[in-house]
Structures are given as C-alpha cells and as structure tokens.
Amino acid sequence: MTELMGHHAIVTGAGSGAGEAIAMALAEQGAKVTAIGRRQAPLDALAARWDRIFPIAADVTDAEAMLAAIAKSVEKHGAPTIVIANAGSAESAPFLRTGVDMFRATLDVNLTGVFNTFQACLAKMNQKQPGRLIAIASTAGLKGYAYVGAYCAAKHGVIGLVRSLGLELAKTGVTVNAICPGFTDTPMLHRSIDNIVEKTGRSREDAEASLRDVNPQGRFIQPEEIADTAIWLCSDAAASITGQAISLSGGET
C-alpha cells in the first residue's frame, strides 16, 4: 500500500517491540522511515528488511544527540511529517525502594525523551501542512499501578504534554496524540515477567496470567495493534483527532 507515499516518518525506540512494528507498518504504507534507537545493530537488522527504513543510533534522553540525529535525517529525507515517540523503559519497585536515580532515569527516557523528540522534530516540520506527533504512552498514563510509581508518573506526564501541545498546535496542520496500550507482548513485558518470577518465586505461567488478566479480554496487546492505530492516526480520517489519549487495552478502566 502507498497511502503514506511522500511522507518522512521518524520513529524512536525502533529497534524492537512496538517501535519495530510501527516502523515496518509505516514503510509498508510507503513512507520513508528514520528508525532511531540506542543500539545500532537492531536498527541495521530492521533496515535490512525494508529499503525505506534508514537507521540512526541516538539516545532520546540526550537533547543534543536528538537534534543531531533529526538534522541528519532531514538532510537525507527532508522535513518530517510523522513523528512517533515510542522509546521507553519500565522498572518496578515499591515506592520506598524507588531511589531518586531510578526515578529520574525513568522520567528521562519516558517523558523527557518524548519532549526531546517532539521538540527536535517540530522545529523542522512545516506546520502549515498536515503533520502528526504521536507518543506511545501507556494505560499507566491514565491510571495507577502498584510498584511502578515512577513509570506511571512519567506516562501521566506524557499525556499532559500531548494535551497541552495539541491545543497549542490546534490552528496548525499538526495533530498531537498519545496511544495508551495495556500490557503488550514485547521484550519489555517479558523482562517485567522475569522480574516478577525472580522477586516472588511464582511460576512464569502465574506471572503471565496476573498481567494478562488485567485486560478484560484476557490477552496481551500485540505490537501490530499499536502500529495499526498509529497508521490510522496518520490518515486523513484522523485530521480532527488531537490532544487525545487513546486507550488500547481491551476495555481496561
């Protein structure tokens, strides 16, 4: 399909999980995709699968590195029209065992990373033309979960940023939205399950079930579902959708 032919999309956290699925979906729709992540090897492997995907290694927590990465991508492919801030990480700990370094690191990648990505990209976008800024947040941005206070705080911050920026850009051609998946079948989820098993001694099956059952549909969200939602937000049909946090969670409240 070529619905997004002529678009230049930038995707962070593109080396695995939802970011990889989003980058592939955008390329399949005809967009040129700049895939950004911290590790070069997974990005190179992704780029080898599709000649519309171009890898650049950069850390979203480093504002200068992101500015340089976006400048490099613009020089090669022109101004971005689609920006998907997907990079993120999650660690769990009881609140009293959450050190300030862990708290700051969680905010850095999950919240400041979105800020750095949006700011570097928006400065290069033509705001008179249709454009999309999309943050991959989480249901943790819509509600609380025990033992992940830092992650919830960061994702709530992402939702606030999206709502504010959506209003700020409402009279331009650029929309700003967040996709909020529930527990998603990605390497990050698998690490969380490993952590539960290690700390509680529960079986892996029980640990998986405890997270899967949070979704009323009794399943994990698939990365491709996030990618499909992002593709819809990039379409003309979503031109009036801005400042929204779209829950992708099987009915979780």
Side-chain angles (χ1 to χ4, degrees):
M1 298 178 68
T2 58
E3 184 177 344
L4 298 179
M5 187 71 73
H7 285 268
H8 174 203
I10 292 173
V11 182
T12 67
S16 65
E20 179 182 4
I22 291 166
M24 287 294 295
L26 289 164
E28 288 168 0
Q29 291 288 328
K32 292 180 179 179
V33 181
T34 297
I36 295 177
R38 288 181 298 174
R39 296 174 297 139
Q40 188 70 49
L43 299 175
D44 289 342
L46 175 62
R49 296 165 61 189
W50 202 291
D51 61 5
R52 293 197 187 106
I53 298 177
F54 308 91
I56 299 179
D59 186 340
V60 297
T61 69
D62 184 334
E64 293 301 320
M66 284 302 294
L67 286 170
I70 300 309
K72 182 178 179 180
S73 73
V74 169
E75 182 178 350
K76 186 173 181 65
H77 306 296
T81 53
I82 296 167
V83 180
I84 313 237
N86 166 76
S89 67
E91 291 188 57
S92 63
F95 180 74
L96 290 178
R97 296 182 187 173
T98 300
V100 68
D101 288 344
M102 173 184 163
F103 187 79
R104 285 173 176 161
T106 301
L107 291 182
D108 278 349
V109 66
N110 292 289
L111 177 54
T112 306
V114 174
F115 172 84
N116 288 340
T117 301
F118 280 0
Q119 194 166 71
C121 292
L122 184 60
K124 301 293 187 180
M125 295 176 78
N126 181 353
Q127 296 183 32
K128 295 180 180 180
Q129 298 296 321
R132 301 289 186 264
L133 297 176
I134 301 171
I136 307 303
S138 167
T139 49
L142 303 173
K143 59 181 287 186
Y145 294 94
Y147 306 110
V148 285
Y151 184 72
C152 285
K155 293 300 187 179
H156 273 70
V158 170
I159 301 305
L161 177 62
V162 161
R163 287 172 173 161
S164 177
L165 190 55
L167 287 174
E168 187 173 328
L169 298 178
K171 303 235 181 249
T172 74
V174 179
T175 65
V176 191
N177 292 289
I179 299 172
C180 300
F183 290 111
T184 304
D185 190 7
T186 63
M188 187 167 75
L189 175 68
H190 300 161
R191 289 192 294 271
S192 295
I193 294 170
D194 290 341
N195 189 46
I196 293 171
V197 171
E198 179 182 351
K199 291 186 176 180
T200 68
R202 298 166 66 182
S203 70
R204 187 170 187 85
E205 291 74 16
D206 285 346
E208 287 184 1
S210 69
L211 299 183
R212 187 186 302 111
D213 291 345
V214 172
N215 182 326
Q217 292 180 337
R219 65 184 184 87
F220 293 133
I221 304 300
Q222 297 302 306
E224 291 75 18
E225 295 178 272
I226 302 172
D228 288 345
T229 305
I231 294 296
W232 174 73
L233 283 173
C234 291
S235 72
D236 292 341
S240 293
I241 310 298
T242 195
Q244 302 303 306
I246 299 171
S247 179
L248 194 63
S249 60
E252 182 183 349
T253 58

